[in-house]
Amino acid sequence: MKKNQLLYLSQADVAKAGLTMAEIIDAMEIMFRAKGEGRTEMPPKPGIHPEGDNFIHAMPAYIPDLKSAGIKWVSGFPENPAKGQPYISGLLIFNDVATGLPLAVMDCVWITAKRTGAASAISARHLARPESSVLGILGCGVQGRSHVEAMQVLFPLKKIVAYDLNENARKDFAADIRRNFDGEVVPVKTPREAVSGCDIVVTAGPMSKKPHATIQPGWLDEGAFASLVDYDAYWQPAAMHAADKFCTDDKNQFQTVRQSGYFPDIPEIHADLGELATGRKPGRETPQERTMTANLGLALNDMAVAPLLYQKAKEKGIGTWLDL
Ligand SMILES: NC(=O)c1ccc[n+]([C@@H]2O[C@H](COP(=O)([O-])OP(=O)(O)OC[C@H]3O[C@@H](n4cnc5c(N)ncnc54)[C@H](O)[C@@H]3O)[C@@H](O)[C@H]2O)c1
């Protein structure tokens, strides 16, 4: 019998595969429609919490429409950057839906960065004004960059306003973004400048069960959309209650996250992304509405991207084949 093998893709291999943000968004839109029509499987993610605020989560999912099955095993250790180690690390196993055999094991850091920006952009497709051209970013790290890339795919961006607590981070971010963006990039010194006057606002600073809640009611303009990537860390409860529509990516997972202490005071959830993608719940209905999403990050997102990476890597001869 022929030996079964799997393809191992390191962090460098994954980045080299050349998967574009537009391809990721397309695959995730198919997945969110399937999710909204009840054709996906995603049990709640179990986790372990070794010492302090650390987590390691198991995130399994199955998407029949994309012939994708597998699991991400991802850790977040907040003290790591101080030790010269990354906050997020982990591996994803991609399985054959016909046999269950593992087809690939891949580093999951790149996928986690890209799919989170893509999910916000898909939410924005339903909730932001289509002509949105000014993007405000608070938190100029990995997610800040991924969100610029994803929003550029779907919106005619002309200006990016960037705030970070760390002055060097916002300067580096502005320099990086200018390399691939023709419009204006404006690093700002106060968080309000990256909220008021923006059509789309992304908060991507650190998460905390004790939110700093900097953003006050009245800062987000009429007609604007906000993506709360760092959960409720940045927003005063009254600022979230000012939204006409408050959404998420998965209502069940949202309840679980609330039980663990996040989002103690939020408006009623209007819809999740499956309901928006299928049209079962309306997205934006008027140019004046203020809309928000707090996407939690789903195993389904990762498993929408994994088969594309596997295919690209195979086509380009990237990665290392290992015997099972
Ligand atoms: N919802 C999801 O699906 C999902 C997925 C991945 C990451 N996240 C979250 O996104 C956030 C950003 O992750 P990342 O990987 O980009 O982290 P990162 O460390 O790369 O970037 C965070 C940036 O925020 C800055 N910062 C710190 N405090 C700030 C403040 N009060 N205001 C503005 N900026 C501040 C830091 O200087 C840093 O530049 C984290 O909270 C992470 O947990 C969410």
Side-chain angles (χ1 to χ4, degrees):
M1 204 168 73
K2 180 173 137 268
K3 263 196 184 153
N4 287 313
Q5 291 194 307
L6 64 79
L7 184 61
Y8 174 69
L9 298 174
S10 68
Q11 229 167 72
D13 293 335
V14 169
K16 248 188 342 208
L19 189 62
T20 66
M21 185 56 92
E23 289 171 310
I24 293 173
I25 290 174
D26 285 350
M28 284 177 55
E29 288 208 307
I30 294 171
M31 175 278 288
F32 275 116
R33 276 199 296 279
K35 177 184 187 310
E37 286 163 5
R39 286 197 309 283
T40 56
E41 196 179 352
M42 183 179 61
K45 51 180 167 190
I48 54 174
H49 303 87
E51 298 180 19
D53 275 340
N54 307 322
F55 70 81
I56 315 181
H57 285 160
M59 301 176 67
Y62 170 44
I63 313 163
D65 293 26
L66 297 175
K67 292 195 170 27
S68 181
I71 184 164
K72 184 168 89 166
W73 180 233
V74 60
S75 18
F77 279 53
E79 302 302 324
N80 268 5
K83 300 176 192 163
Q85 293 295 338
Y87 167 46
I88 295 283
S89 65
L91 294 172
L92 181 150
I93 303 175
F94 173 51
N95 295 83
D96 187 335
V97 290
T99 63
L101 288 171
L103 294 172
V105 171
M106 53 185 91
D107 188 90
C108 75
V109 172
W110 187 93
I111 300 178
T112 304
K114 301 286 170 170
R115 59 67 149 164
T116 308
S120 286
I122 296 169
S123 296
R125 197 204 279 280
H126 298 284
L127 293 169
R129 295 190 331 279
E131 71 278 16
S132 293
S133 64
V134 182
L135 170 63
I137 298 280
L138 297 98
C140 296
V142 172
Q143 287 303 331
R145 285 168 172 78
S146 158
H147 278 72
V148 169
E149 189 185 351
M151 294 300 175
Q152 261 187 281
V153 173
L154 297 185
F155 294 91
L157 297 185
K158 294 197 178 83
K159 182 172 165 185
I160 293 162
V161 187
Y163 172 75
D164 195 291
L165 211 52
N166 177 329
E167 192 181 340
N168 288 334
R170 57 180 186 252
K171 283 187 181 154
D172 292 349
F173 178 86
D176 282 355
I177 299 300
R178 283 187 189 116
R179 281 191 206 108
N180 296 307
F181 179 64
D182 291 336
E184 201 185 344
V185 185
V186 189
V188 292
K189 292 193 174 132
T190 66
R192 185 169 186 164
E193 291 170 273
V195 179
S196 301
C198 295
D199 301 314
I200 298 178
V201 174
V202 173
T203 52
M207 273 177 198
S208 169
K209 283 186 185 162
K210 293 200 183 89
H212 54 94
T214 304
I215 299 179
Q216 299 174 24
W219 287 20
L220 187 70
D221 284 359
E222 193 176 271
F225 160 76
S227 180
L228 286 50
V229 183
D230 48 8
Y231 291 14
D232 52 355
Y234 235 113
W235 299 77
Q236 290 191 1
M240 292 187 277
H241 281 280
D244 297 289
K245 290 193 173 106
F246 189 92
C247 301
T248 185
D249 49 4
D250 183 77
K251 282 182 180 167
N252 289 336
Q253 195 158 305
F254 201 89
Q255 290 318 322
T256 312
V257 168
R258 281 195 90 178
Q259 280 158 14
S260 73
Y262 293 101
F263 300 107
D265 186 1
I266 52 154
E268 192 187 329
I269 293 182
H270 164 71
D272 70 22
L273 201 36
E275 291 171 314
L276 293 174
T278 50
R280 289 177 183 197
K281 290 275 177 71
R284 171 175 292 276
E285 290 168 287
T286 72
Q288 290 80 30
E289 283 173 291
R290 288 183 179 85
T291 55
M292 280 186 193
T293 197
N295 293 341
L296 309 169
L298 307 180
L300 287 167
N301 300 349
D302 302 300
M303 293 318 304
V305 181
L308 293 174
L309 276 173
Y310 176 67
Q311 279 309 330
K312 286 252 182 201
K314 270 207 318 185
E315 280 160 25
K316 296 183 177 178
I318 293 169
T320 307
W321 288 97
L322 302 172
D323 288 347
L324 280 182

